[in-house]
Each structure stands twice: as C-alpha cells, then as structure tokens.
Amino acid sequence: MTKIISPKALKEGAKIAIISPAGSVDESQLQNGLKLIRKNGFEPILGKHLYSKYSNGYNYAGTEKERIKDINWALNDPEISAVWASRGGYGCQHLIQHLSLKKFTDNPKWYIGYSDNTVIQSYLLKKGFASIHGQTIKTSSFGVAKESYDLIFDVLKGKKLKYDIVKHQFNKKGNCEGELVGGNLALIYALLGTKYSFDFKDKILFIEDIGENFYALDRMIMSLELAGVFNKIKGLIIGGMTNMGDEKTNADYEKSFDEFTYKLISDRISKYKFPVVFGFPNGHIYDNRPLIVGGKVKMKVDRKVKIEF
C-alpha cells in the first residue's frame, strides 16, 4: 500500500500558483478569490495561460500544450508552495498523460480544486499525494459561503478538518475508517477502467455532481456497481446534487441536495452494509466545504454524523 503524503503547512508569504487546467475564465471572475489569498498572507502567482482562450468544441483556457505547460510549471517550480485551480469545466483529462512530478516529489504541494479537477486529484493520489477537494478561485454564479474558503486556508495553514453533519433520512448507520477517494461523480465514472481510476478497496468514497439527467446519474451509479466499487468501499459520502433532471418539472432543481437523486442513490445501494452519509456540504453548491482526497477519515453515522480527518 502506497503511503499517502500530505503536503506541509504553508508559511506566511508562500506563493500559490493559480492555473486554468480546463475551462476558460475571465479575470473579473477571480478577483475575490485572489484578494482572499492575499488577505490570508499568501502571494498568488498567475500562470502564463491563466486567462487564455481556445475554442475547440468547448471554451478551453488555452490549447492542450499551453495548459500542460502551466500545470507542470506550477507542480514543479520549487518557489511555488500550492497550486489552486481557477475553475473546472472540462479539459483535465487532456493533461494527465503529460503530467510531470520530477521536482514535485521533492517539494509536495497542495493541489486545490473540484469538479473536473477530480481527474488531477486521482492522478496525484495514484502517485501517493493528498489534495484538497474544495472551492476553486472562480466565484460561482450562486455564490460561495465564507466557510468554503476559510476552511481551505485552515488546511493550508496546517489545521485538521472536523465536521458535524445534519442527519438525513437516507443515512445508513455505522462507523468506519479509511482513506477518502472520489470527487465529481461524472469524472470518477469517466476514469473507470483506466489506469488513472481511483483504487476503491477499503476506501471511503465521496461523490457529488451537477446538471445530470436522472437516468444519466443512475447510469453512473450502475457503472460503479458493475465495476464492483460498492463491494470494495468501507463507507460512502454523498455531497451536492443540484440542477438535476428537468428544470421545468423538478421542484428541487435549484436545491443543493436533490431529494429524488438521493432516493435513486439510496435505492441502488440499499443492499450494501457500509455506512452512508447524505447531504455533505461539498460540491457545486453555495456551501462547498473542503475534503482531503487521500486523507485518513473517521466516520460515525448515528443520530449525529461526525467526519474527522
């Protein structure tokens, strides 16, 4: 079993690289996040192609070569202490065959992001490094809770994450301990069967998603089942599921935790014995609190729910 390395806490004045590994982003969308980095005593260093735009069936933040160049610079530059993605979208799958960790291994650093960044985080975990599944620099259209950023800075400063979660009717009681894997369900699904897929054995799996038809969500959950994932994991955490189904017919469309989606998932996993937490505040939602991919987790699910790294 590979020993997972968590990067060291950042010192005051540390440099954080800001890159766009997937979708394009406008400068105005990052101003709040960059201000928060400075306010917390760190220095944001902008990637050369942070604001580049390249249209090829999707609006990417530069060509594949440009995005590869930026991420490899950020991961390996010894003056950089952390790497923070500007946003997700689509495009990280283009990069993983070309990533270099030659100097990263001598100076491991936190990689921060979610959504499409799940691909990068799976790659890093395969190589033995933990990362932060949390809010990107871009402020979403639905806003970002103050705690979403505050807790990321807590991790960067060396503090441990500890959560007390409101219970949910679909929760399944039990206790478990294990390494956390996962992130955006669509990307976990997209990596199944590849050498970049998460190793699910004896892990606690986290999933979240946005904007999927109910049948597509069910297809992804079925794929996890057919791949034997639910026979391998020790526990399951379900985060935000929002903008699901049809906006015209789904009364929960704008809600962070879509109840019909939750019921679909609950029904699919009903035969398994592992503990399950629904309603964790992480994902494409206003209250997007960080998790550590590769972090050791203690999970207790009863009348109260506790998740501790």
Side-chain angles (χ1 to χ4, degrees), residues 4 6 110 125 130-134 151 155 158-165 176-182 204-206 237 280-282 289-300 306-309:
I4 306 305
S6 291
W110 286 113
L125 188 57
S131 59
I132 300 173
H133 187 274
L151 290 168
V155 175
K159 296 181 181 179
K160 301 290 186 182
L161 293 173
K162 188 176 182 179
Y163 294 109
D164 293 317
I165 305 301
C176 63
E177 294 184 22
E179 183 183 293
L180 185 85
V181 299
I204 295 174
L205 174 62
F206 169 76
I237 302 171
F280 188 90
N282 180 296
R289 304 192 180 203
L291 293 166
I292 307 299
V293 176
K296 294 292 180 65
V297 178
K298 291 182 179 180
M299 188 168 98
K300 296 182 179 181
K306 294 184 178 295
I307 295 174
E308 183 177 355
F309 286 86

Side-chain angles (χ1 to χ4, degrees), residues 7-28:
K8 296 178 181 177
L10 274 62
K11 297 179 180 178
E12 187 173 354
K15 296 177 180 180
I16 298 178
I18 313 299
I19 62 168
S20 296
S24 63
V25 65
D26 294 327
E27 188 172 352
S28 61

